[in-house]
Amino acid sequence: MRQRMLKYTPEHMHCHATFYGPLAPPNTAFIATQGATDKKTSTFRIVATGVVLSLDKTVDVVKKLKLTGTPYKIYKNTAFLKGMFSSILEVSKFEGAMIKTVSGIRGQVKRALSSPPGAFRATFEDKIQISDIVFLRCWVSVDIPKFYNPVINLLSDTKVWSGMKTVGELRRENSLPIPVKKDSQYTAIERKEKVFKPLVVPKNLQKNLPFKSKPKLEKKRRKESYLSKRAVVNEPGEKRLITLMQELLTAQRDTDKRRKEKKKEEKAKREAEIAKVNTKLEGKARQRRKIFYQKNAKQDRFNND
């Protein structure tokens, strides 16, 4: 059975754990502690509780691995890729594996190339671009450490049992820093914005297209048009009409604004009155319920007696 390795245990949820230990029948309860030594009882805490499900030494624990590469030569549906593997041996291991571009074009690993090291030939469903990123999703086995130290007797007075120190305790005692892998750090992904070329329809093709499908974008004018150059001169009568229309529109806007404010005030007043009436009705209903329950309680007490 294949099990996927998790980077972090799920919060408030169950998960499967695989470890090397002594034989134990299924449904046996167990407990895991950290720092179970006599000298450092302050660090004692329970880290896990669980039940043994089965004994299986053929269990396969795997973790996800995503390899990325970029094309450096493209021939129709065939492309030469690099940056995904480091040697010909790695490529031969993944021959026939499914790969995919970020844009969704699927492909397959074919054969390794002699140079550069790790380069290979791949085929795709459609022609890819030189700027595409190709990735391969695969699974990598995780080895389980085969070691356990059983405690035979804890009742002996001559010898005090001491559990194995944790990695954190050993680092603390020897003043060793925590190793940091650059590949495991979360970094911000920075990608250049892709600039697409404008769609250009050839003139011969435009002639055969129906009018609905023809591009109707006008070209940019090098010189100003006649309409933008000419000056509009209004006559005295037209000026008076424009001024009158502006005054009428201003008066109409002012009237609409005052009407809206008045409606808003009336609505707020009406809502306050309704809330006042509802409060009175609620108080009366509460009083009626109180009287009803008191009468029923007296009647029940009389019937019980």
Side-chain angles (χ1 to χ4, degrees):
M1 184 175 68
R2 190 173 72 175
Q3 293 185 346
R4 180 188 166 192
M5 191 188 80
L6 302 176
K7 196 169 184 180
Y8 304 104
T9 55
E11 192 174 1
H12 308 304
M13 289 175 66
H14 291 83
C15 65
H16 287 197
T18 305
F19 59 90
Y20 193 77
L23 294 174
N27 294 331
T28 303
F30 70 89
I31 188 170
T33 60
Q34 185 181 22
T37 57
D38 294 335
K39 295 179 182 178
K40 296 185 178 181
T41 53
S42 60
T43 59
F44 171 82
R45 71 183 181 94
I46 297 170
V47 293
T49 58
V51 176
V52 176
L53 295 177
S54 62
L55 303 174
D56 186 8
K57 65 178 182 179
T58 60
V59 68
D60 187 19
V61 181
V62 293
K63 65 177 180 179
K64 264 187 178 180
L65 182 66
K66 185 189 268 189
L67 303 173
T68 58
T70 53
Y72 65 94
K73 279 185 184 179
I74 298 168
Y75 305 99
K76 290 188 179 179
N77 290 8
T78 304
F80 293 169
L81 280 78
K82 63 178 181 179
M84 190 177 289
F85 305 108
S86 59
S87 64
I88 298 174
L89 186 65
E90 287 184 4
V91 179
S92 62
K93 189 178 178 182
F94 287 94
E95 276 185 9
M98 299 300 294
I99 54 178
K100 195 176 181 182
T101 64
V102 176
S103 56
I105 302 171
R106 293 173 296 182
Q108 191 178 21
V109 177
K110 289 297 181 182
R111 294 294 297 273
L113 301 174
S114 57
S115 65
F120 62 94
R121 179 173 61 87
T123 56
F124 294 89
E125 294 175 332
D126 197 2
K127 187 176 180 180
I128 64 171
Q129 293 184 355
I130 200 74
S131 59
D132 279 337
I133 299 171
V134 184
F135 58 88
L136 174 120
R137 288 176 177 170
C138 58
W139 301 93
V140 178
S141 298
V142 179
D143 294 329
I144 301 167
K146 296 182 179 180
F147 175 79
Y148 76 95
N149 185 16
V151 181
I152 300 169
N153 189 6
L154 287 175
L155 302 175
S156 177
D157 297 333
T158 57
K159 191 176 180 182
V160 179
W161 177 80
S162 178
M164 183 185 289
K165 292 180 181 179
T166 61
V167 178
E169 289 176 350
L170 292 172
R171 284 203 186 108
R172 210 177 298 115
E173 289 177 3
N174 298 319
S175 301
L176 295 174
I178 299 171
V180 179
K181 293 182 180 178
K182 291 183 179 180
D183 295 339
S184 299
Q185 289 180 341
Y186 293 102
T187 55
I189 299 170
E190 295 181 1
R191 290 195 181 101
K192 293 181 180 178
E193 289 187 7
K194 199 169 183 179
V195 180
F196 295 96
K197 294 179 181 178
L199 180 64
V200 179
V201 183
K203 290 183 179 179
N204 295 331
L205 182 61
Q206 285 184 29
K207 291 176 183 177
N208 300 327
L209 288 173
F211 180 77
K212 186 179 179 182
S213 302
K214 286 182 179 180
K216 308 189 178 50
L217 300 173
E218 293 183 359
K219 294 180 180 179
K220 289 184 178 179
R221 293 179 180 272
R222 295 182 180 178
K223 298 179 181 179
E224 292 183 0
S225 63
Y226 168 71
L227 293 173
S228 60
K229 281 182 179 179
R230 71 178 183 179
V232 180
V233 180
N234 295 323
E235 294 182 0
E238 291 177 345
K239 285 184 179 180
R240 284 197 298 271
L241 284 172
I242 291 168
T243 307
L244 179 63
M245 289 300 296
Q246 287 177 349
E247 289 175 355
L248 289 172
L249 287 172
T250 306
Q252 183 65 33
R253 280 196 293 268
D254 188 51
T255 307
D256 292 342
K257 187 178 178 182
R258 278 184 287 169
R259 190 184 292 117
K260 284 180 182 179
E261 288 177 357
K262 191 175 180 181
K263 280 185 178 180
K264 197 174 180 181
E265 289 176 2
E266 289 176 357
K267 188 180 177 182
K269 195 185 291 183
R270 200 182 312 115
E271 286 177 354
E273 289 176 0
I274 291 168
K276 195 174 180 181
V277 172
N278 288 338
T279 306
K280 286 182 181 179
L281 291 174
E282 192 177 348
K284 288 179 180 179
R286 198 183 298 114
Q287 191 68 24
R288 283 198 300 270
R289 284 197 299 270
K290 189 175 180 182
I291 293 166
F292 174 76
Y293 290 135
Q294 285 176 353
K295 286 181 180 179
N296 284 350
K298 287 179 182 178
Q299 189 67 27
D300 291 341
R301 207 178 297 121
F302 178 75
N303 292 336
N304 291 332
D305 293 341

